Amino acid sequence: MVVPKIIKKGSFEHKDLVSMEQLSERDILLILDTARTFKEISLRRVKKVPALQGKTVINLFFEPSTRTRTSFEIAAKRLSADIINITSSASAVVKGETLMDTAQTLMAMKPDFMIMRHSFSGSARFLSRIVPASVLNAGDGINEHPTQALLDMYTMRESNKRFEGLKVAIVGDIAHSRVARSNIIGLNKMGAKVMLVGPKTLIPYNVEKMNVTVTHNLKEAVGWADVVMMLRIQLERLTEGLFPSIREYSMLYGLNREVLRYLKRDAIIMHPGPINRNIEISPDVVNDERCVILNQVENGVAVRMAVLFLLGGKQKVSLE
Ligand code: CP
């Protein structure tokens, strides 16, 4: 079986991945390099290696997800782990069980990993402190979504972007975006320049502590950027009155064919998904050759394989 060269994991000394804050520049590069090696596995006829054979993964999603839940499941299966999916609607949570009791109940079945998405900011860190399993944060409230930032950074690098001095414009509902927070932290660590773009009401209150610049002018940001990252308007987290109407928001901050004229020829357009077509992004833009949204999805599997492997693959794996 042809498998990527040996991956050294000895230098990744974390039990959990709950935040981009916990990662050093070296950790981030190790994850991205490991993901590059694992990406090749997804192109094979038999898309499986024995790296996590005998390990058990619980995918615990208290909020909806298509990309993150599925790609963690595929990643675990490609590494030969056993994975169980639990959603809040099909769990005892609907009968009133607390997160603490749910975690202890699941832990009694001896999983090696718990991947969790939860609406409460800080829930992943809380879980990591009460269970011996490796905890992976698949999105906690408006706090962080570290594997999304890592797959975004992987996609930038794959598009021949060097992080040092890279100009990244993050556009939209930044105040409610865990994707933005994790990207800002990660990109800052790697030496990129981040510009936030949106109405004042959607810029975080503590923005001056984030080492970013801010503009309310989308065309200016699009002309400046090497990477334009559009964010979804999170209608489920918005309180009323943050902007006059969806239509007005779209006119000022939607990426459409007219705004696209300002974009550099070698820039890339990203979006973590799910997209609100004709609100933050128009179909013309999704079809533009600079748009890498599906590359992000593809890279999510490789990055999540890398993270699972680095956290839990105690054995050295010669993948050949
Ligand atoms: N990007 C992202 O987290 O998408 P899902 O909500 O589909 O997982």
Side-chain angles (χ1 to χ4, degrees):
M1 180 164 62
V2 180
V3 232
K5 286 280 175 209
I6 190 162
I7 299 166
K8 294 192 196 102
K9 80 153 294 286
S11 48
F12 194 75
E13 298 301 339
H14 302 275
K15 167 185 164 284
D16 312 290
L17 177 59
V18 297
S19 163
M20 291 300 287
E21 293 281 11
Q22 73 181 76
L23 299 178
S24 65
E25 181 182 343
R26 198 167 148 277
D27 289 332
I28 293 171
L29 288 175
L30 178 62
I31 293 169
L32 302 188
D33 287 346
T34 307
R36 189 167 50 200
T37 309
F38 277 128
K39 187 165 175 181
E40 181 266 329
I41 292 167
S42 297
L43 305 174
R44 292 188 196 163
R45 193 173 57 81
V46 179
K47 304 178 182 67
K48 221 175 190 39
V49 289
L52 293 186
Q53 204 161 40
K55 305 277 183 188
T56 304
V57 182
I58 295 183
N59 234 353
L60 184 57
F61 276 66
F62 294 101
E63 285 189 328
S65 168
T66 298
R67 282 144 281 267
T68 312
R69 195 194 63 72
T70 311
S71 64
F72 263 123
E73 182 170 353
I74 290 173
K77 286 181 170 165
R78 289 192 180 159
L79 294 171
S80 303
D82 299 310
I83 180 156
I84 289 98
N85 286 291
I86 303 176
T87 55
S88 55
S89 60
S91 74
V93 169
V94 291
K95 300 177 192 167
E97 190 166 62
T98 63
L99 177 56
M100 170 80 97
D101 287 334
T102 302
Q104 286 175 345
T105 301
L106 294 173
M107 209 51 236
M109 300 180 223
K110 308 287 184 274
D112 300 287
F113 299 89
M114 292 176 79
I115 299 163
M116 185 174 75
R117 170 169 290 188
H118 199 287
S119 59
F120 172 59
S121 298
S123 52
R125 191 171 299 283
F126 169 76
L127 184 66
S128 72
R129 287 180 179 151
I130 60 171
V131 298
S134 286
V135 172
L136 291 96
N137 182 2
D140 62 327
I142 60 170
N143 182 39
E144 281 229 40
H145 192 349
T147 56
Q148 179 70 44
L150 290 164
L151 75 88
D152 291 340
M153 294 170 79
Y154 184 96
T155 307
M156 293 175 204
R157 211 182 183 207
E158 188 183 58
S159 307
N160 298 320
K161 307 296 182 201
R162 290 173 54 85
F163 292 123
E164 188 61 46
L166 186 69
K167 296 174 182 169
V168 182
I170 304 181
V171 184
D173 184 2
I174 296 139
H176 297 91
S177 175
R178 53 198 178 202
V179 174
R181 259 182 71 77
S182 286
N183 266 292
I184 291 166
I185 296 165
L187 288 165
N188 263 320
K189 287 190 183 203
M190 303 309 289
K193 296 176 181 166
V194 179
M195 181 182 280
L196 306 185
V197 193
K200 279 194 180 121
T201 47
L202 295 182
I203 301 293
Y205 71 94
N206 58 345
V207 67
E208 63 282 353
K209 294 185 184 152
M210 292 181 154
N211 192 30
V212 295
T213 52
V214 177
T215 180
H216 307 295
N217 183 329
L218 179 61
K219 287 174 184 166
E220 176 202 325
V222 167
W224 170 85
D226 303 308
V227 176
V228 177
M229 184 182 294
M230 303 304 295
L231 298 175
R232 182 173 70 89
I233 285 292
Q234 300 200 29
L235 299 167
E236 73 276 23
R237 292 191 218 277
L238 285 178
T239 49
E240 279 181 26
L242 292 176
F243 48 82
S245 68
I246 293 283
R247 188 163 165 271
E248 188 156 341
Y249 175 85
S250 181
M251 281 166 57
L252 290 171
Y253 295 106
L255 190 58
N256 55 34
R257 192 191 303 204
E258 197 224 321
V259 182
L260 210 55
R261 291 192 289 116
Y262 294 81
L263 188 69
K264 294 177 192 169
R265 282 170 67 90
D266 63 348
I268 57 171
I269 303 158
M270 307 181 79
H271 193 307
I275 59 174
N276 291 312
R277 280 179 192 256
N278 292 317
I279 298 181
E280 73 265 359
I281 195 162
S282 76
D284 294 323
V285 175
V286 175
N287 294 331
D288 190 277
E289 61 183 11
R290 291 164 289 186
C291 182
V292 294
I293 293 175
L294 292 180
N295 305 57
Q296 291 171 261
V297 177
E298 179 182 352
N299 293 334
V301 175
V303 164
R304 288 173 176 126
M305 285 173 81
V307 170
L308 284 167
F309 174 78
L310 289 168
L311 286 173
K314 293 288 178 238
Q315 66 277 47
K316 277 201 169 174
V317 180
S318 171
L319 296 171
E320 286 183 305

